[in-house]
């Protein structure tokens, strides 16, 4: 056992000697000698490869020549004997050559060469010459043909410039598919020329738009969309970088947005707005309304004409089928189809869309729920997102499947319990993504159906956390995308320790040069015998701290002697990377004094106020919030505390907050004084005297949702 561990360690080191390329190449060996690269080095290729020659020349700050072969060139060449997207990169004393069977392979070879140069190749300034490159031979090809990342531009509007940056970063990691989630309940992000209102109206929410505001943008009209011109530009930009954009129009559910623009697409029954506090909860297209297919054909025809991808993603996730059971037309259709199962209507709907796509020469891609019955043709590509079981079921039925179970590949999930992000699927970091394994008992036939792996970035809680800043996206995606890339291109046979060593030793500096605000692993903080001690798994990262209530940042160099460990918050930095802030256990200690919750918004019977009284879990109101509504937290005894944190809303459903309002405190239980404004539905108070009660008062006219969520208060003791 020890011997094998040692051997593996040695292998890792031996590989490490020539390592540096991420994802790890298939064959990679050091040769004798060096190649000297300087500002006079010339990239040389045939005219038809000029776009790739120029791409490389631009990053190296050198010239590209398509006519003659200069001395000591970097040669790009297409040759026969390579697998798809495979390449050979040879660094020889006389020249460098990148040879591939196709343009994708050539691009991948270029990326490997860039990674062997100093990280500055990723900056505007470029490398400092001369650079001595150790001679080397890399022969490489991908494990999976499909290595994807998804981006939700619907919930949070992410425009052309930001998507280009996203594409660049993916391309550096040899990711070759971008699944672009263009429509959802909260936004329509693609111009449809035959129906301009879809984007002109549906691209915006709040203000005078019929689309309700949600997710943090309450007091303004918010949104945007891609024109077809902009999308064409993005498609070309991605294509040069070996990335195919797969557009998604999410149907027949997740369609509340288009239903606000075209209410006639919904099922023909009077919505029960009494139960939902005035909201029409219908979000799915009526399956029986024939005119719907005309509108859908108009939309899909334009999407097919615009995107060269052979697949168009048509959604199929999380459809609320109860709407169809209540619709007389859908019920009649079910009768004609000889079924009383509304799920069969989704098959019918998706089947009709598949026919439209087929007429345009395209195939459908769908979320895994859409193939549960197995009715859809086996030419349908499935994105297995719910869990491994869902992926398994799809391959067992013979569907080509993109494996992306949320528990390993949803990068909107939190990476540690106290960090930002969702947690409904799992809390996990890059290591878990790296260590993903397919079920061991999968048959070869089932494995053959797996086309590849994909990560996802859903953006509904993007806005609420870091409005307008790219750092939330970066923090959530990197280094998890590095781990995804390694998995999808190479596999994980080297083991996490080896991969992580390479990440730290070389890739962190590259990510920094790329300007990625990536996540570092959280520091570990202990307190013993009066000493605060901090370590970081990211050996080499700087450790910093701030004192509670202060903004001055200090560098941590040695253990700190203190009797107030709860006042310190630590984080680490490496280039542009940063960890979350971490305190000693004392920092997080809370108390649970006897409490009674009441609110003017009524009580949900299913999720009662008493959940909060017992500090167990959240409670829900019976309706949305209006100006003057209040939430009162009354204590049995005066409470002395250094901080009390009041939170409305829920990470999973951030729209369920009191969107604007303020907090009041009472020291005698009778008189209240206004002390602070709510920020994204929450407020942190630092009372100076014992409290009898606190109260949140709403100033907002509804929150886009039929209730408010109230979390138990987090109360920190005076230590
Ligand atoms: C589930 S994944 C969804 C999305 C959410 C995501 C949040 C899928 C097909 N549906 O609508 O954004 O969870 O993690």
């Amino acid at each position: 056992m020890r011997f094998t561990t040692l051997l593996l360690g040695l292998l890792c080191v031996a590989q490490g000697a020539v390592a540096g390329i991420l994802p790890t190449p298939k064959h990679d060996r050091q040769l004798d000698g060096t190649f000297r690269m300087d500002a006079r080095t010339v990239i040389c290729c045939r005219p038809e490869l000029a776009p790739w020659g120029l791409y490389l020349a631009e990053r190296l700050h050198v010239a590209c020549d398509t006519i003659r072969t200069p001395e000591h060139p970097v040669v790009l060449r297409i040759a026969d004997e390579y697998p798809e997207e495979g390449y050979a990169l040879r660094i020889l004393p006389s020249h460098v050559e990148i040879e591939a069977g196709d343009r994708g392979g050539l691009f991948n070879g270029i990326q490997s060469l860039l990674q062997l140069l100093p990280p500055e190749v990723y900056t505007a300034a470029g490398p400092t010459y001369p650079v001595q490159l150790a001679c080397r031979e890399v022969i490489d090809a991908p494990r999976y043909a499909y290595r994807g990342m998804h981006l939700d531009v619907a919930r949070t509007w992410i425009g052309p410039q930001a998507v280009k940056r996203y594409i660049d970063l993916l391309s550096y990691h040899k990711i070759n598919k971008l699944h672009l989630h263009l429509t959802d309940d909260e936004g329509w992000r693609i111009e449809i020329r035959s129906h301009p209102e879809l984007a002109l109206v549906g691209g915006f929410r709040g203000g005078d738009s019929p689309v309700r505001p949600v997710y943090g943008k309450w007091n303004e009209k918010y949104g945007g969309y891609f024109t077809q011109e902009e999308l064409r530009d993005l498609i070309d930009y991605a294509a040069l970088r070996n990335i195919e954009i797969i557009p998604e129009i999410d149907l027949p559910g997740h369609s509340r947005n288009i239903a606000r623009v075209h209410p006639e697409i919904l099922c023909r029954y009077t919505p029960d707005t009494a139960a939902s506090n005035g909201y029409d909860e219908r979000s799915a297209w009526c399956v029986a309304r024939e005119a719907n297919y005309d509108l859908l054909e108009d939309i899909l025809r334009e999407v097919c004409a615009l995107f060269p991808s052979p697949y168009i993603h048509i959604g199929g996730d999380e459809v609320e089928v109860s709407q169809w059971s209540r619709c007389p037309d859908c019920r009649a259709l079910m009768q004609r189809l000889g079924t009383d199962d509304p799920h069969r209507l989704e098959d019918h709907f998706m089947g009709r869309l598949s026919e439209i796509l087929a007429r345009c020469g395209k195939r459908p891609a769908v979320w895994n729920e859409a193939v549960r019955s197995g009715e859809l043709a086996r030419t349908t590509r499935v994105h297995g997102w719910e869990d491994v079981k869902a992926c398994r079921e799809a391959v067992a039925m013979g569907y080509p499947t993109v494996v992306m179970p949320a528990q390993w590949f949803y990068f909107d999930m939190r990476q540690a319990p106290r960090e930002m992000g969702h947690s409904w699927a799992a809390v996990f970091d890059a290591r878990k993504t790296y260590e993903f394994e397919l079920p061991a008992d999968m048959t070869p036939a089932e494995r053959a159906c797996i086309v590849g792996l994909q990560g996802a970035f859903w953006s509904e809680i993007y806005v609420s956390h870091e409005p307008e800043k790219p750092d939330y996206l970066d923090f959530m995606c990197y280094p998890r995308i590095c781990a995804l890339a390694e998995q999808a291109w190479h596999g994980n046979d080297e083991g996490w320790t080896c991969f992580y060593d390479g990440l730290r030793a070389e890739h962190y500096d590259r990510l920094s040069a790329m300007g990625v605000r990536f996540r570092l692993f959280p520091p570990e903080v202990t307190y013993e015998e009066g000493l605060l001690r901090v370590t970081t798994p990211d050996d080499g990262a700087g450790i910093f701290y701030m004192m509670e209530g202060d903004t001055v940042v200090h560098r941590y160099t040695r253990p700190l002697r203190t009797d107030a460990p709860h006042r310190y918050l630590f984080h680490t930095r490496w280039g542009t990377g940063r960890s979350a802030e971490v305190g000693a256990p004392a920092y997080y200690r809370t108390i649970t004094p006897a409490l009674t919750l009441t609110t003017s918004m009524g009580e949900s019977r299913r999720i009662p106020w008493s959940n909060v009284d017992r500090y167990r879990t959240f409670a829900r109101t019976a309706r949305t919030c209006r100006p003057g509504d209040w939430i009162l937290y009354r204590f049995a005894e005066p409470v002395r505390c250094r901080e009390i944190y009041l939170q409305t809303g829920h990470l999973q459903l951030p729209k369920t907050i009191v969107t604007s309002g303020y907090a009041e405190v009472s020291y005698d239980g009778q008189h209240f004084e206004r002390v602070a404004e709510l920020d994204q539905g929450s407020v942190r108070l630092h009372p100076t005297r014992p409290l009898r009660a606190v109260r949140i008062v709403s100033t907002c006219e509804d929150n886009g949702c039929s209730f408010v969520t109230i979390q138990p208060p987090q109360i920190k003791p005076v230590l």
Side-chain angles (χ1 to χ4, degrees):
M1 179 64 199
R2 274 177 92 191
F3 179 70
T4 36
T5 319
L6 188 70
L7 197 68
L8 276 175
L10 281 177
L11 269 175
C12 178
V13 172
Q15 285 241 336
V18 288
I21 300 176
L22 189 163
T24 308
K26 264 204 163 105
H27 304 285
D28 188 358
R29 67 188 180 107
Q30 195 107 33
L31 305 174
D32 289 338
T34 55
F35 174 80
R36 182 193 147 102
M37 189 178 282
D38 61 34
R40 284 164 310 166
T41 301
V42 174
I43 315 296
C44 171
C45 63
R46 293 174 58 97
E48 65 272 22
L49 299 180
W52 289 270
L54 289 169
Y55 172 94
L56 180 57
E58 200 180 307
R59 261 136 211 95
L60 301 184
H61 292 251
V62 301
C64 173
D65 196 327
T66 55
I67 302 166
R68 63 206 162 84
T69 306
E71 266 180 60
H72 306 295
V74 176
V75 182
L76 308 183
R77 201 182 302 129
I78 296 288
D80 286 339
E81 65 274 14
Y82 289 92
E84 218 170 296
E85 291 189 86
Y87 67 91
L89 162 64
R90 290 189 192 86
I91 301 172
L92 305 167
S94 55
H95 68 287
V96 175
E97 59 184 39
I98 300 174
E99 210 172 57
D102 52 34
R103 281 145 203 221
L106 205 60
F107 185 81
N108 291 329
I110 289 173
Q111 293 312 318
S112 292
L113 174 61
L114 290 179
Q115 291 198 0
L116 296 176
L117 288 159
E120 289 72 38
V121 286
Y122 297 103
T123 65
T128 310
Y129 287 126
V131 172
Q132 299 290 343
L133 278 174
C135 288
R136 180 166 180 149
E137 181 182 59
V138 181
I139 299 174
D140 201 7
R143 175 184 183 209
Y144 286 117
Y146 189 116
R147 305 178 302 282
M149 217 17 239
H150 150 289
L151 183 64
D152 172 7
V153 296
R155 272 62 171 272
T156 297
W157 164 233
I158 302 173
Q161 272 322 105
V163 176
K164 280 188 179 169
R165 174 180 183 270
Y166 193 74
I167 288 172
D168 273 324
L169 298 178
L170 296 182
S171 74
Y172 297 149
H173 293 85
K174 302 190 176 86
I175 298 286
N176 68 350
K177 309 281 178 199
L178 172 59
H179 171 172
L180 205 53
H181 187 73
L182 286 166
T183 72
D184 213 303
D185 291 324
E186 300 81 7
W188 185 279
R189 307 275 174 232
I190 171 173
E191 173 196 21
I192 300 296
R193 291 194 175 157
S194 56
H195 298 275
E197 71 285 1
L198 295 184
L200 282 174
V201 180
F204 299 87
R205 60 188 189 232
D208 62 0
S209 171
V211 185
R212 284 178 176 282
V214 278
Y215 301 148
K217 300 288 182 179
W218 308 100
N219 306 317
E220 59 186 289
K221 192 165 170 180
Y222 166 82
Y225 63 89
F226 295 109
T227 63
Q228 294 203 359
E229 209 50 56
E230 286 168 332
L231 283 169
R232 211 164 281 127
D233 179 50
L234 272 187
I235 292 163
D236 293 344
Y237 190 86
L240 178 79
R241 288 158 181 77
N242 191 37
I243 291 181
E244 174 186 291
I245 301 184
I246 299 155
E248 179 187 354
I249 308 292
D250 202 349
L251 303 162
H254 284 267
S255 296
R256 193 167 293 135
N257 180 285
I258 186 168
R260 299 299 296 195
V261 185
H262 283 284
E264 70 279 8
I265 66 165
L266 293 172
C267 284
R268 200 166 56 85
Y269 66 86
T270 316
D272 180 10
T273 48
S276 58
N277 199 51
Y279 295 94
D280 183 352
E281 302 275 16
R282 291 175 300 175
S283 60
W285 291 66
C286 176
V287 182
R289 186 173 177 272
E290 209 37 50
N292 280 358
Y293 298 98
D294 298 336
L295 177 54
L296 287 162
E297 176 142 12
D298 288 347
I299 294 167
L300 291 177
R301 275 196 178 280
E302 289 193 34
V303 174
C304 291
L306 189 59
F307 288 90
S309 164
Y311 287 89
I312 304 296
H313 201 301
I314 49 174
D317 61 314
E318 301 178 316
V319 185
E320 178 48 56
V321 295
S322 67
Q323 296 166 66
W324 297 333
S325 302
R326 297 177 63 188
C327 169
D329 301 336
C330 286
R331 278 213 307 272
L333 177 59
M334 277 193 266
Q335 210 160 35
R336 285 204 297 285
L337 295 172
T339 176
D340 52 10
D341 177 6
H343 290 100
R344 297 300 299 273
L345 289 185
E346 183 169 6
D347 292 339
H348 179 80
F349 182 89
M350 291 314 234
R352 296 277 305 258
L353 299 194
S354 303
E355 286 165 21
I356 297 173
L357 293 180
R359 288 200 288 279
C360 301
K362 303 283 190 188
R363 295 177 170 189
V366 297
W367 296 111
N368 62 253
E369 294 101 307
V371 295
R372 236 174 236 144
S373 67
E375 286 292 312
L376 289 185
R378 297 302 184 267
T379 43
T380 308
R381 185 154 76 194
V382 177
H383 290 247
W385 69 278
E386 281 179 297
D387 47 28
V388 172
K389 192 167 149 269
C391 299
R392 234 196 136 162
E393 283 165 6
V395 294
M397 288 189 278
Y399 287 105
T401 299
V402 177
V403 171
M404 52 182 304
Q407 298 74 11
W408 285 265
F409 295 106
Y410 266 28
F411 301 155
D412 53 331
M413 293 300 137
R414 228 174 281 179
Q415 298 170 82
R418 288 197 177 90
E419 290 185 12
M420 48 195 170
H422 275 311
S423 60
W424 68 260
V427 174
F428 69 92
D429 60 22
R431 177 171 187 163
K432 186 173 173 193
T433 307
Y434 177 86
E435 290 179 339
F436 175 74
E437 297 284 354
L438 291 168
D441 59 347
M442 239 187 202
T443 65
E446 288 173 343
R447 274 170 205 268
C449 285
I450 295 172
V451 295
L453 305 177
Q454 182 172 289
F457 180 81
W458 297 96
S459 64
E460 63 266 46
I461 58 181
Y462 194 149
V463 173
S464 349
H465 281 287
E466 294 285 335
E468 271 74 62
K469 288 193 205 157
D471 53 359
Y472 174 70
L473 181 123
D474 284 10
F475 186 88
M476 300 307 273
C477 285
Y478 292 92
R480 285 192 286 199
I481 286 179
C482 308
L484 163 73
E486 180 73 6
Q487 268 274 10
W489 179 276
H490 179 83
N492 60 8
D493 52 342
E494 269 93 10
W496 168 254
T497 309
C498 189
F499 176 73
Y500 180 41
D501 284 348
L503 199 64
R504 253 177 343 204
E506 314 205 26
H507 208 60
Y508 278 2
D509 285 340
R510 266 181 233 142
L511 290 171
S512 297
M514 295 169 196
V516 179
R517 293 193 258 174
F518 59 101
R519 173 191 188 257
L520 293 172
F521 288 84
E524 279 138 36
V525 183
T526 58
Y527 180 67
E528 254 172 327
E529 291 168 8
L531 275 186
L532 262 178
R533 244 176 247 283
V534 188
T535 56
T536 165
D538 291 312
D539 229 355
I543 303 177
F544 299 86
Y545 66 94
M546 282 189 291
M547 304 298 290
E548 192 180 46
D550 196 356
T551 50
V552 185
V553 178
H554 311 268
R555 185 152 192 146
Y556 169 93
T557 49
R558 68 175 89 88
L560 300 164
R561 181 158 298 283
T562 176
D563 54 10
H566 57 278
R567 297 197 53 224
Y568 292 75
L569 268 183
F570 298 88
H571 72 267
T572 64
R573 294 186 200 178
W574 183 313
T576 50
R578 201 183 156 131
S579 77
E581 298 198 327
V582 178
Y587 173 82
Y588 300 103
R589 199 168 302 144
T590 56
I591 49 173
T592 55
L595 161 76
T596 313
L597 177 82
T598 45
T599 152
S600 60
M601 291 170 271
E603 184 173 20
S604 143
R605 213 168 301 146
R606 215 161 43 83
I607 309 177
W609 295 343
S610 55
N611 283 351
V612 169
D613 293 357
R614 291 181 211 139
Y615 296 88
R616 259 193 23 198
T617 181
F618 56 90
R620 262 187 199 176
T621 64
R623 61 168 175 81
T624 190
C625 45
R626 301 202 190 96
D629 270 327
W630 47 264
I631 303 167
L632 176 66
Y633 311 73
R634 199 175 273 287
F635 299 109
E637 301 291 335
V639 172
R640 245 163 55 83
C641 62
R642 69 178 204 283
E643 179 181 294
I644 173 165
Y645 180 61
L646 304 175
Q647 186 191 358
T648 63
H650 201 288
L651 259 181
Q652 250 69 299
L653 280 168
K655 63 183 172 184
T656 68
I657 61 176
V658 173
T659 55
S660 66
Y662 53 89
E664 295 179 326
V665 297
S666 174
Y667 300 112
D668 60 5
Q670 310 271 323
H671 304 92
F672 283 81
E673 51 186 278
R674 180 170 173 161
V675 285
E677 298 300 300
L678 291 187
D679 177 17
Q680 302 289 350
S682 302
V683 64
R684 210 176 283 280
L685 305 174
H686 299 98
T688 47
R689 283 183 282 153
L691 284 175
R692 292 306 294 253
V694 281
R695 182 157 72 187
I696 286 176
V697 181
S698 157
T699 54
C700 76
E701 187 64 68
D702 106 32
N703 61 4
C705 172
S706 54
F707 57 88
V708 168
T709 305
I710 307 168
Q711 303 288 344
Q714 290 171 32
I715 309 173
K716 292 186 170 177
V718 174
L719 291 173

